Amino acid sequence: AISFITFVKMYEPPVARGGRLLYRLERFVKDMPRNKVGHLILFSAPFYFTVYLAAWPFFSIYLLNDLKLGYMAFAAISIVDDIASAITSSIWGVYADRKGSVWILRIVAVIIAVHPLLWLVSPAPGYLILPQILSGIAWAGFNLAAVNFIYQHTTAEERVRTLAFYHAFNGVSAFLGVAAGGFLVTRLPALFTSSILTLFVLAGILRLGVVAL
């Protein structure tokens, strides 16, 4: 309720609209290999596919069905990354001002890439909190740096549309990633008695491949 009250008090300046969206999207896609924001999306879209190939739904099933964790332990593991993200967002802002957005993206992308691989180390709930803390810290930096990068390399007139395209490409990739993960998880061989762990390994390798490229 408090969030809603503060949200409706926000002021949104009017956005000038012109031209057909389809034409602008076609031109944006054609220009992607030749501009910096296009390069960001050409990285983030396949990266989001690999991220959501083994996303939280699969971690939840692994915790509840395979590890048979209670709901208190499940809740603790579920929420700790959000807490870590909230705490470290302002810290990443300081480093973004000093080092730049690309510097942050290079570091946090590697952390996000190895995140599912860290789940293979131990099934102990006390340990599994640690990869989640790292994930929350890394995603705070990723989201801040990516949006900052777009703000730095777009004009005020282009910004809203470019942000919309950025989130749209990532959203489609995330959907395809989850769908692919759901298709594969019942067809992959089990690793340590769980095919979900096999999916984690596959996702981690593909994430590292995208980062390397």
Side-chain angles (χ1 to χ4, degrees):
I2 295 171
S3 175
F4 175 77
I5 292 170
T6 55
F7 181 73
V8 296
K9 291 180 179 294
M10 292 173 60
Y11 169 71
E12 184 85 36
V15 178
R17 306 179 187 277
R20 293 193 307 118
L21 178 61
L22 181 61
Y23 171 74
R24 296 200 300 270
L25 177 59
E26 290 174 350
R27 186 173 63 187
F28 183 82
V29 171
K30 289 179 181 178
D31 291 342
M32 280 171 60
R34 296 185 293 273
N35 67 70
K36 293 182 178 181
V37 175
H39 291 168
L40 173 65
I41 295 175
L42 288 171
F43 159 68
S44 68
F47 190 63
Y48 265 72
F49 175 87
T50 61
V51 165
Y52 281 84
L53 187 68
W56 185 246
F58 303 106
F59 289 96
S60 301
I61 295 170
Y62 174 67
L63 292 172
L64 295 173
N65 289 5
D66 294 354
L67 299 186
K68 309 296 183 184
L69 291 190
Y71 281 104
M72 288 301 293
F74 172 75
I77 295 172
S78 301
I79 199 173
V80 70
D81 60 331
D82 290 326
I83 296 173
S85 181
I87 292 172
T88 57
S89 290
S90 59
I91 299 173
W92 282 122
V94 173
Y95 279 99
D97 292 338
R98 293 178 180 175
K99 300 286 189 176
S101 299
V102 175
W103 182 85
I104 293 177
L105 287 172
R106 285 174 175 161
I107 293 174
V108 299
V110 174
I111 298 174
I112 294 169
V114 301
H115 171 249
L117 301 177
L118 297 176
W119 278 61
L120 277 70
V121 175
S122 170
Y127 165 77
L128 293 177
I129 287 176
L130 298 178
Q132 290 305 98
I133 291 175
L134 278 176
S135 176
I137 294 171
W139 275 110
F142 189 97
N143 292 329
L144 178 73
V147 172
N148 277 355
F149 187 86
I150 293 173
Y151 268 74
Q152 290 162 1
H153 295 95
T154 54
T155 63
E157 294 77 17
E158 298 172 330
R159 197 161 292 145
V160 172
R161 183 173 68 241
T162 303
L163 284 167
F165 289 156
Y166 170 77
H167 290 298
F169 278 104
N170 290 343
V172 171
S173 295
F175 165 76
L176 294 175
V178 170
F183 175 81
L184 290 172
V185 73
T186 57
R187 293 166 173 81
L188 291 170
L191 177 65
F192 303 128
T193 72
S194 176
S195 61
I196 293 180
L197 289 177
T198 311
L199 185 66
F200 290 173
V201 172
L202 177 62
I205 292 172
L206 291 177
R207 292 181 190 187
L208 287 170
V210 172
V211 172
L213 290 173

